[in-house]
Amino acid sequence: MFSKKMHQAMNDQIQHELYSAYIYLSMSAYFESENYPGFAQWMRIQFEEEMAHAFRFYDYIHSRGERVTLLPIGQPPAEYESPLAAFEAALEHEQKITGDIHRLYALATEENDYPSLSFLQWFIDEQVEEEEHVGGVVDNVKRVSGVSHAMLMLDRELGQRQPPAEVEEE
Ligand code: FEO
């Protein structure tokens, strides 16, 4: 059974995923303004991924016979002290989202909501990848911060990021 509590919690998660998208788009704008087009491109793809995450919840709620009610989305930060600070904020944000997903999973377990457990498994795995991915970028930016030619090379490298297949299809 898809409980009212689960419906509400997943509806809230759409807001969290859309806010994630908003944060990354804001970081992309920050990097554009700082002349890091590769970092900006990386964040723009991150934005697209978050939109795809929001749509997964959106479609799932409807597939369980309930409706989505969109909630307000707050204004994300616009400025960061440095590229490293922006990527560190991204990692911290992903850790927070992992906590959200784990709470949803715990609720589905408590309620014996097997379809939701199956649905959420994808997000459990995705969050492991997200944290590994963003954490790797934080490590790389830390290594090269202050070395301008190395930052330029890293910017070029991150600019090669391609959208995942599911985002390309949309
Ligand atoms: Fe949708 Fe990056 O978590």
Side-chain angles (χ1 to χ4, degrees):
M1 168 195 148
F2 192 54
S3 73
K4 206 171 167 180
K5 201 169 165 187
M6 180 58 85
H7 172 204
Q8 172 111 47
M10 287 205 182
N11 196 80
D12 289 349
Q13 192 60 27
I14 294 176
Q15 180 196 42
H16 301 166
E17 300 291 346
L18 290 175
Y19 181 63
S20 304
Y22 227 34
I23 286 180
Y24 295 134
L25 192 58
S26 184
M27 287 179 179
S28 184
Y30 160 75
F31 284 128
E32 289 285 359
S33 74
E34 294 290 313
N35 269 325
Y36 287 109
F39 294 170
Q41 167 69 5
W42 194 95
M43 283 297 176
R44 196 167 166 140
I45 289 173
Q46 193 73 10
F47 157 80
E48 288 175 10
E49 278 201 8
E50 298 304 342
M51 293 299 292
H53 293 175
F55 272 115
R56 277 182 183 257
F57 281 102
Y58 180 95
D59 290 337
Y60 179 72
I61 289 173
H62 289 140
S63 77
R64 297 297 303 271
E66 294 295 344
R67 70 154 293 178
V68 165
T69 306
L70 294 176
L71 301 171
I73 305 169
Q75 182 176 7
E79 298 300 334
Y80 295 91
E81 264 178 34
S82 63
L84 177 60
F87 281 110
E88 282 178 334
L91 179 58
E92 202 178 307
H93 184 71
E94 285 306 325
Q95 289 162 343
K96 220 160 97 191
I97 293 291
T98 298
D100 290 343
I101 299 295
H102 289 180
R103 275 188 291 280
L104 286 171
Y105 198 89
L107 179 61
T109 304
E110 196 182 298
E111 295 187 342
N112 293 326
D113 180 348
Y114 301 112
S116 293
L117 284 171
S118 172
F119 168 75
L120 289 166
Q121 187 61 52
W122 183 90
F123 280 95
I124 299 273
D125 299 339
E126 173 71 2
Q127 284 309 120
V128 172
E129 268 184 35
E130 289 264 65
E131 286 193 32
E132 186 187 9
H133 200 182
V134 182
V137 176
V138 167
D139 287 344
N140 284 338
V141 175
K142 257 186 203 157
R143 264 185 218 123
V144 302
S145 275
V147 187
S148 58
H149 72 276
M151 279 294 271
L152 198 66
M153 280 175 65
L154 186 59
D155 182 63
R156 286 213 185 117
E157 188 190 315
L158 293 193
Q160 306 298 316
R161 184 179 182 188
Q162 298 293 322
E166 67 173 346
V167 175
E168 271 178 334
E169 281 163 18
E170 278 164 9

